[in-house]
Amino acid sequence: METILQIRDLTRRFGGLTAVNNVSFEVREKEILSVIGPNGAGKSTLFKLIASFLKPTSGEVLYRGERISGLAPHIAARKGVVRTFQETTIFRNMTVRENIIVAHHLRSKASLAGFFFGTRAAREDERAFGESADEIIHFLNLDDLAREKAKNLPHGHLRALGIGIGLATNPAVLLLDEPFAGMNHDETHKAVAMVRRLRERGLTVLLVEHDMPAVMKISDRIVVINFGQKIAEGTPLEIQNNEKVIEAYLGAEDEAIGM
Amino acid sequence: MTATRKLAGLAIFLLAVFVLVPALIAATGRKDLYYTLTSVALLSIASAGVWLTFYIGRINMGQGAFALMGAYVAAVLVTRYGMSFWWTLPAAGLFCALASLLIGLPILRLRGVYFAMVSLVLTEVTRLLALAVPITEGAKGITNIPLPGAISLFGITLVPDFSTMENPRIAFYYLAVTLMVIAFAAMYRLVNSRIGHICMSLQQNEELASSIGVNIVHLRLIAFAISSFLGGVSGAAFAAVTQSVYPSSFTVTDSVNFMLNCFLGGLGYVFGPMLGTLTLYFGWNLLFQTGEFQLLIYSSVMILLMLVLPNGLLSLGEGRRKG
Ligand SMILES: Nc1ncnc2c1ncn2[C@@H]1O[C@H](COP(=O)(O)OP(=O)(O)OP(=O)(O)O)[C@@H](O)[C@H]1O
Ligand SMILES: [Mg+2]
């Protein structure tokens, strides 16, 4: 399979703290790759670097061979690398459908002025966005909530909406930061199935997650970060049996690693 | 609201503004109301601009600066360069829009009270500049600005020369409400088009907006430029109405009032600034009889209104419709 992302010697310091320290790995097209590690290991920072929300102190991120690190986030998004947020980040005062429609921004062919004057291209865009939004809403099983204000959604559905917003941008690579956090067993089960279907849609998925059973079940490969450094990389089976990983997790907290 | 109800509302509004109000004024003989209502209409245009910057999540207390700038641009163009008043309207608007791009680029990064404070300072800086720069003629200002001339197209006079009119105040009233209707129609269209939704996304979460590919810097600048354009047009029209402009024509108080107009009418409603301006302007004048207590009562009522109606006067209608 082809490489879609190359993370090269990526480092990010905050003052004296090195949140991400010389991390390198590659992401292949259409794989599900999870980044795991104890709290504060630097996973979210790594995602922000990849999606150009932060500038690296050194190192770079290449997307299909082209450097994207250090660009503005909306440019990385335009190229196809889009992140969702660790917290449930949505447009609270819009309905579910409005959230997803507005997130089609990158697909618009009409200009802003075009939307003001209601040109044919703008009307065509509106129609296409509506259709696509309905499809995404259906895909996420949010049909019954489409006209609900986003702030009134239950937690599990908020996460789904966050992913829906990401999907609307039509990304090639979607970075999901803790998509299963706060979900019960049943909700997680459904969400895992949904992430799998993302891949079937042709997306490459990067995932940060603490839910180890889910990570082990869903990932093609796993990258383990501890204190900003990559300490292991491999298939779920390799990771489960990796000495360094077990040590990092035992040293940091009592978190089972899915065994 | 259905499309027919909207159209009916628009028709009633236009009828009221263009026919009923003048008829009432003629019947009661209170010609002074023309000047008051002209002011309200023009101030509401500047407030509409401020409202738009609220819509992208910025508390804008700099509109006084752009109104003052617009007034001076128009005054200078008319008195020094003999430009027709009608051309000075767009010219002042564009000048302010361009100026706001230069000013906005560094300051629109700021959020919350930081932006509010800097924009407030901007108003004061503009006043001081007007005092200092030679072309604005310092504290004595620019006076004796000629009245607007005629507009003719293919030899047909569409609008007669204001100086030939018996009562130019009536003409100014029609001019001001026409500008107001155009400004608010454009604003309504803007907010209800996709642009409005994108602005809304910016207001609710800038990070998320940029993650879906919105160029937030660009969009903020556009909104600020539109706001300042409206401020400039409003100021330019004011200069023509009063036939003068001084450094004190628009001050920090005006900037604060533009903002209060938006709060009072309701930040969630396009027509909020119009209602807010009307209410505030008349409210303030009514309180004039209370003399030294004017400001105290005014402030107390404002605070009370914000506590009781945090979503503005127009939210009253909303509650009734729901209930
Ligand atoms: N903007 C910032 N300024 C200063 N320090 C930061 C900043 N962002 C993150 N950090 C620090 O960098 C380190 C890594 O944080 P990060 O959020 O990437 O961890 P994480 O692996 O995502 O943790 P969690 O599992 O709790 O989400 C932490 O020590 C954090 O306090
Ligand atoms: Mg994190």
Side-chain angles (χ1 to χ4, degrees), chain A residues 49-117:
Chain A
L49 290 169
I50 295 174
S52 287
F53 268 74
L54 280 175
K55 287 194 180 19
T57 309
S58 63
E60 59 183 359
V61 178
L62 304 183
Y63 168 69
R64 296 193 202 276
E66 183 188 358
R67 186 186 172 129
I68 56 165
S69 43
L71 302 175
H74 70 272
I75 296 177
R78 192 174 301 157
K79 294 196 187 290
V81 181
V82 171
R83 75 181 269 231
T84 66
F85 293 75
Q86 175 166 358
E87 319 77 31
T88 43
T89 301
I90 42 137
F91 301 121
R92 292 173 48 78
N93 287 321
M94 298 189 198
T95 67
V96 167
R97 193 163 184 271
E98 284 168 350
N99 261 273
I100 295 182
I101 286 182
V102 80
H104 279 75
H105 188 69
L106 286 171
R107 299 199 208 175
S108 48
K109 297 191 192 73
S111 63
L112 284 183
F115 283 109
F116 183 81
F117 293 110

Side-chain angles (χ1 to χ4, degrees), chain A residues 53 73-74 77 82-83 85 89-94 98 101-106 112 115-116 118 126 129 165 169, chain B residues 186-187 189-190 193-195 197-198 200-205 207-216 218-219 222:
Chain A
F53 268 74
H74 70 272
V82 171
R83 75 181 269 231
F85 293 75
T89 301
I90 42 137
F91 301 121
R92 292 173 48 78
N93 287 321
M94 298 189 198
E98 284 168 350
I101 286 182
V102 80
H104 279 75
H105 188 69
L106 286 171
L112 284 183
F115 283 109
F116 183 81
E126 308 262 15
F129 297 169
I165 292 173
T169 63
Chain B
M187 203 60 99
R189 176 67 200 145
L190 190 82
S193 76
R194 192 177 160 74
I195 309 173
H197 282 100
I198 298 170
M200 181 85 110
S201 79
L202 213 61
Q203 178 203 74
Q204 293 183 23
N205 197 319
E207 271 213 311
L208 183 58
S210 64
S211 87
I212 60 170
V214 176
N215 186 342
I216 53 177
H218 193 108
L219 202 69
I222 292 179

Side-chain angles (χ1 to χ4, degrees), chain A residues 44 86 177-178:
Chain A
S44 294
Q86 175 166 358
D177 199 344
E178 304 199 14

Side-chain angles (χ1 to χ4, degrees), chain A residues 11-30:
Chain A
T11 297
R12 171 70 204 207
R13 289 194 198 92
F14 294 113
L17 177 96
T18 308
V20 172
N21 193 353
N22 212 23
V23 170
S24 301
F25 62 93
E26 293 193 347
V27 184
R28 297 168 198 153
E29 200 146 5
K30 293 187 188 144

Side-chain angles (χ1 to χ4, degrees), chain A residues 193-214:
Chain A
M194 197 266 293
V195 172
R196 286 223 174 92
R197 281 186 288 135
L198 288 180
R199 189 238 306 268
E200 283 159 27
R201 283 173 83 110
L203 270 76
T204 305
V205 180
L206 257 73
L207 204 73
V208 163
E209 201 28 80
H210 284 293
D211 183 336
M212 285 309 146

Side-chain angles (χ1 to χ4, degrees), chain A residues 134-172:
Chain A
D134 291 335
E135 190 264 327
I136 291 172
I137 287 168
H138 188 65
F139 175 81
L140 298 168
N141 289 322
L142 290 172
D143 303 75
D144 297 339
L145 296 166
R147 302 197 183 277
E148 193 65 51
K149 276 255 157 63
K151 61 181 172 195
N152 301 331
L153 291 192
H155 192 80
H157 288 120
L158 279 179
R159 296 262 162 195
L161 178 56
I163 293 172
I165 292 173
L167 272 184
T169 63
N170 204 14

